Amino acid sequence: MNTKTVFQFISEPSDVNYGGNVHGGSVMKWIDQAGYACASSWSSSYCVTVYVGGIRFYSPIKIGHIVKVEAEVIYTGRTSMHIAINVFSRNIKRKEFEKKTHCIIVFVAVDDEGNSMEVSKFAPQTEQEKQMEKYAVKLMDLRKNIEEEMKPFFE
């Protein structure tokens, strides 16, 4: 089963913000699209985003740069998939990509009626995959604490 999805494209003038760089909202849309493609490929079903966490913008993406969005399954629950997303860009005149953004998205596979459905279990093989799975579990624990802290503000 393929655990990774990669998109590459050129950032366009329509992606520009007031500062002349790619708008953060455009980057978040690309993250969601790549994450969805990865999750739906893994589960062979429609998926919904249930959590986006720890999005970190390291530096801006310039208009006209080549953008690469990598999405990778790093953990699965019974119905959920944790997808690590990394966004890179490079000037068209350079060969090296620079990391620009990172986050984790959790998707749930759903059937035609919108009910959650089971997904195949991710079994890490490489040391890198094992480390990423530990990272996902640690973030789940942190999320539980954050959700508890936020609970009074949901009501």
Side-chain angles (χ1 to χ4, degrees):
M1 217 177 244
N2 190 10
T3 62
K4 196 171 194 175
T5 299
V6 178
F7 289 179
Q8 282 195 43
F9 49 89
I10 296 174
S11 58
E12 299 177 353
S14 61
D15 300 320
V16 73
N17 65 15
Y18 293 110
N21 298 310
V22 170
H23 194 283
S26 295
V27 177
M28 291 190 304
K29 179 182 176 186
W30 301 333
I31 286 170
D32 195 51
Q33 289 172 332
Y36 173 80
C38 185
S40 62
S41 293
W42 180 265
S43 65
S44 298
S45 69
Y46 182 71
C47 298
V48 293
T49 307
V50 295
Y51 182 83
V52 178
I55 190 164
R56 174 74 167 96
F57 294 97
Y58 299 110
S59 61
I61 297 172
K62 304 292 184 190
I63 298 302
H65 279 199
I66 296 177
V67 177
K68 178 169 64 170
V69 184
E70 295 180 347
E72 185 170 12
V73 176
I74 62 170
Y75 178 84
T76 55
R78 190 177 64 78
T79 63
S80 65
M81 296 149 286
H82 293 64
I83 311 293
I85 310 284
N86 289 302
V87 180
F88 305 86
S89 77
R90 69 176 176 87
N91 184 305
I92 201 154
K93 296 177 184 175
R94 298 181 185 236
K95 298 206 183 288
E96 304 286 320
F97 280 94
E98 291 181 26
K99 191 174 193 175
K100 300 295 184 170
T101 307
H102 170 79
C103 72
I104 300 294
I105 303 183
V106 180
F107 288 89
V108 169
V110 296
D111 63 20
D112 292 339
E113 286 77 45
N115 300 309
S116 60
M117 53 187 278
E118 288 191 23
V119 298
S120 298
K121 182 71 179 148
F122 170 67
Q125 303 297 312
T126 68
E127 192 56 40
Q128 173 71 15
E129 289 174 340
K130 291 173 185 175
Q131 290 300 317
M132 291 303 288
E133 184 181 58
K134 286 180 185 175
Y135 170 56
V137 170
K138 185 174 184 178
L139 291 177
M140 280 191 307
D141 291 339
L142 291 170
R143 254 192 331 271
K144 288 175 189 169
N145 293 334
I146 291 169
E147 287 174 10
E148 191 62 36
E149 288 295 321
M150 294 174 69
K151 205 174 201 174
F153 302 101
F154 285 109
E155 299 166 355

